[in-house]
Amino acid sequence: MSDLARLEDLPLEYRQALAQQNLVPLWPSLRGVLPPDKPRPQTTPTLWSYKSIKPLLLKAGELTPIEKAERRVLVLANPGHGLDKMQASPAIYLGMQLLLPGEWAPAHKHTPNAVRMIVEGEGAYTNVNGEKCPMSRGDLILTPTGQWHEHGHDGDEPVVWLDVLDLPLVYYMEASYHINGKRQPTDAVRGDKIYQYAGVVPTRDFERSTRTYPVIRYPWVEVKEALLSLGEAEPGLSTVMVTYVNPETGGDAENILGFYALMLRPGQKLSMPVRSPSCVYHVIEGFCSVGVLGEEFKLEEADTCCAPGYTSVTLANLSATQPTFLFMADESPLHRKLGVYEVRQGP
Ligand code: GTQ
């Protein structure tokens, strides 16, 4: 492939004339915006260890009262994008949020979709459109686009959770904003109770629910049980993984990011297929290594890392006797909707 002309190859006067008319020549930048064979991601493999985050988060609890923070969050920022961009990948934002006993994070709604993966502590809850969702370790709670949500804490220990939002994408689209609201009456029936059993859905007068988000809370005890039972039913299955879905449609739980739980069997090594979306890995229980682009991260409980798309990722359970359970978030629903989703045979 021949080299294309550079910007400096053009006379200064001509370049200035272009700029004055808000015009840009394509050819000096053509290879940058359309690189050969595969993208050149800015997303770099990055590990955030909970042991390092927790003292800094607790310190934030001393330094900044909740009234002055609204959401007391340390953002897990990918240095490849620049820390000020507050993004883990092109579409994924990650934050560790701290709520202290008795604190209240007031009601608001916003255009980005969010989920919470509870990391530590008992007694906190999130109200989502009137549904009071208790927060226990490993639970996944959705606050999809436009849904009122507020967080409270009746327990006596700090509670920490991982926020996963599609904020970078929605912000890039100039579609990100929030609205503050009043404290909600919590009278809505809990979706995790009315959709308690897989394979059957509530039917009123022979009609199925048309609620866009019928399930808001996915309890970890049930998801873990599903993984253990899947692993037991199919002893030869290497990818023991479940997708968090909307039980009415079978589709992804939210529109832009996909959410999954994966069980690594004791001592198991697993090569993930090379796919176009970026992916985030977070340990719910156990410990494992994550190999990506020459890096070998060791993850303990509550640690989080990310990997860019179009790369191979290898997972290894570092326990020979216990399963390791991971929560994963990726950009698959977005890539599929855009028609750019790919699975490749090699890197
Ligand atoms: O808890 O509502 O990490 O609005 C970022 C934005 C958490 C939240 C974040 C938010 C929230």
Side-chain angles (χ1 to χ4, degrees), residues 71 73 93 97 108 110 116 149 151 163 165:
R71 300 297 191 261
V73 176
Y93 157 105
Q97 181 160 173
H108 70 182
H110 40 67
R116 336 268 158 207
H149 56 281
H151 314 293
D163 292 313
L165 281 78

Side-chain angles (χ1 to χ4, degrees), residues 56-342:
L56 294 168
L57 200 48
L58 290 173
K59 189 78 191 166
E62 291 167 24
L63 294 171
T64 310
I66 192 73
E67 298 74 24
K68 291 285 173 198
E70 258 176 55
R71 300 297 191 261
R72 197 189 290 106
V73 176
L74 292 180
V75 179
L76 283 50
N78 190 305
H81 289 274
L83 299 185
D84 56 321
K85 292 285 188 332
M86 298 201 302
Q87 56 192 104
S89 80
I92 305 176
Y93 157 105
L94 299 173
M96 279 285 179
Q97 181 160 173
L98 170 72
L99 200 62
L100 295 170
E103 286 187 336
W104 183 253
H108 70 182
K109 61 180 181 178
H110 40 67
T111 44
N113 297 274
V115 301
R116 336 268 158 207
M117 165 52 53
I118 318 314
V119 173
E120 192 178 354
E122 291 290 329
Y125 56 91
T126 294
N127 296 333
V128 186
N129 263 346
E131 180 175 336
K132 185 171 180 176
C133 300
M135 300 171 107
S136 283
R137 198 164 87 90
D139 291 351
L140 185 75
I141 295 170
L142 310 186
T143 57
T145 179
Q147 311 279 307
W148 290 110
H149 56 281
E150 56 196 351
H151 314 293
H153 190 355
D154 295 336
D156 44 26
E157 294 288 325
V159 164
V160 177
W161 64 81
L162 177 69
D163 292 313
V164 187
L165 281 78
D166 47 30
L167 177 62
L169 176 77
V170 179
Y171 180 77
Y172 171 77
M173 291 169 59
E174 301 187 346
S176 178
Y177 71 98
H178 87 282
I179 294 174
N180 285 331
K182 290 198 279 290
R183 211 169 168 129
Q184 306 164 49
T186 48
D187 46 15
V189 182
R190 269 172 54 187
D192 60 315
K193 294 289 175 209
I194 59 178
Y195 289 86
Q196 182 124 32
Y197 297 100
V200 292
V201 296
T203 309
R204 290 183 184 81
D205 299 327
F206 294 90
E207 297 291 344
R208 299 262 301 274
S209 169
T210 53
R211 278 182 64 195
T212 320
Y213 300 102
V215 172
I216 289 298
R217 174 174 186 258
Y218 298 75
W220 173 237
V221 280
E222 287 169 22
V223 177
K224 182 178 177 180
E225 197 54 44
L227 286 168
L228 288 167
S229 142
L230 174 60
E232 207 178 296
E234 294 198 42
L237 181 67
S238 55
T239 311
V240 185
M241 181 167 164
V242 293
T243 302
Y244 290 89
V245 297
N246 174 331
E248 288 289 351
T249 64
D252 296 296
E254 287 187 346
N255 285 332
I256 295 178
L257 302 181
F259 307 103
Y260 319 86
L262 174 80
M263 179 177 82
L264 293 171
R265 299 176 192 273
Q268 185 185 358
K269 287 194 173 60
L270 181 63
S271 285
M272 305 303 277
V274 175
R275 304 179 318 126
S276 53
S278 308
C279 192
V280 166
Y281 301 85
H282 172 84
V283 177
I284 301 179
E285 289 180 29
F287 45 108
C288 69
S289 67
V290 178
V292 49
L293 289 174
E295 299 271 4
E296 184 82 2
F297 297 134
K298 298 253 184 303
L299 274 70
E300 298 176 10
E301 259 170 42
D303 289 352
T304 308
C305 74
C306 73
Y310 297 90
T311 48
S312 59
V313 174
T314 35
L315 307 174
N317 187 351
L318 298 177
S319 167
T321 55
Q322 299 296 318
T324 283
F325 296 95
L326 293 167
F327 168 66
M328 291 159 55
D330 78 358
E331 301 162 333
S332 293
L334 174 66
H335 278 222
R336 289 204 172 93
K337 288 187 174 91
L338 297 179
V340 299
Y341 185 83
E342 266 187 69

